[in-house]
């Protein structure tokens, strides 16, 4: 192996070593800068050096469930999100996607509410964890660990959450 090859391999090892990565210190939901975005808001994980990494959600509903959970720092019971014909979820969906929430209601009704929540919370977990190897505390945790509540451990423990003013109720 040449010196250049050794240095290249060392650089690759150092990049993948999570102990050398800057800690994640905040999560932010901000108005999207691009006009071609599928959603009006981006979810970003921010590290201690000020670096921002965008969470890539595969679909609208997983982003919806993640942001809804961010807006409830101490968590929520599944049934509370279903209250009043999914009113809070529908309002948030309309704000995020600037569209009627009928598509959301059709999706919930076609899969069943419990299946809907399970499926899209799981997909949001996958998206967050794929963003960074340090992102596990930023994912929605299992409700069994929190007396049936869906919550994000980082947020529930008082971590920094920055929500665009247009989303605050």
């Amino acid at each position: 192996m040449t010196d250049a090859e050794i240095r290249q391999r060392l650089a690759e090892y150092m990049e993948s070593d999570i102990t050398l990565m800057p800690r994640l210190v905040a999560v932010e939901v901000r108005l999207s800068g691009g006009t071609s975005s599928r959603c009006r808001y981006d979810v970003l994980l921010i590290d201690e050096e000020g670096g921002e990494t965008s969470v890539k959600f595969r679909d609208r509903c997983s982003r919806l469930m993640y942001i809804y959970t961010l807006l409830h720092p101490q968590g929520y019971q599944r049934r509370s999100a279903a209250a009043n014909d999914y009113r809070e979820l529908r309002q948030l969906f309309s704000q995020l996607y600037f569209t009627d929430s009928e598509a959301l209601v059709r999706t919930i009704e076609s899969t069943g509410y419990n299946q809907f929540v399970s499926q899209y919370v799981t997909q949001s977990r996958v998206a967050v964890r794929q963003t960074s190897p340090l992102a596990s505390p930023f994912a929605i945790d299992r409700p069994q660990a929190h007396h049936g509540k869906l919550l994000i451990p980082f947020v529930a423990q008082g971590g920094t959450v920055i929500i665009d003013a247009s989303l605050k109720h």
Side-chain angles (χ1 to χ4, degrees):
M1 244 187 199
T2 67
D3 254 2
E5 291 172 331
I6 291 172
R7 289 175 194 210
Q8 174 64 29
R9 185 155 300 167
L10 179 60
E12 290 170 4
Y13 284 129
M14 289 176 71
E15 271 184 21
S16 64
D17 186 353
I18 62 171
T19 61
L20 299 175
M21 293 179 176
R23 282 183 324 111
L24 296 173
V25 295
V27 60
E28 180 177 5
V29 178
R30 92 164 55 130
L31 213 53
S32 178
T35 57
S36 64
S37 178
R38 291 179 9 189
C39 181
R40 294 176 51 205
Y41 296 88
D42 292 323
V43 176
L44 306 164
L45 298 181
I46 302 170
D47 65 40
E48 62 191 353
E49 294 176 353
E52 299 174 343
T53 308
S54 180
V55 178
K56 306 289 186 216
F57 294 97
R58 288 182 17 194
D59 54 68
R60 290 177 166 194
C61 293
S62 58
R63 180 186 309 258
L64 169 73
M65 293 306 296
Y66 189 76
I67 293 174
Y68 183 80
T69 306
L70 281 175
L71 293 170
H72 294 83
Q74 296 308 310
Y76 60 93
Q77 299 286 338
R78 284 177 183 237
R79 68 182 174 276
S80 67
N84 298 321
D85 195 30
Y86 322 110
R87 190 185 93 240
E88 284 187 28
L89 284 174
R90 288 185 7 245
Q91 287 174 341
L92 182 58
F93 185 86
S94 294
Q95 284 181 295
L96 294 176
Y97 300 106
F98 208 58
T99 187
D100 188 292
S101 62
E102 287 307 309
L104 171 67
V105 173
R106 282 193 305 275
T107 302
I108 291 171
E109 289 175 352
S110 70
T111 61
Y113 178 70
N114 286 328
Q115 177 65 28
F116 170 85
V117 172
S118 295
Q119 177 178 344
Y120 292 111
V121 164
T122 299
Q123 288 182 11
S124 79
R125 284 183 192 129
V126 169
V128 170
R129 289 182 178 143
Q130 287 177 342
T131 302
S132 167
L134 302 173
S136 284
F138 291 80
I140 300 171
D141 205 0
R142 298 173 305 108
Q144 299 87 340
H146 306 283
H147 307 291
K149 287 186 174 183
L150 289 165
L151 60 80
I152 299 169
F154 174 81
V155 177
Q157 295 166 1
T160 304
V161 179
I162 305 161
I163 304 284
D164 191 88
S166 62
L167 282 178
K168 292 184 180 177
H169 299 208

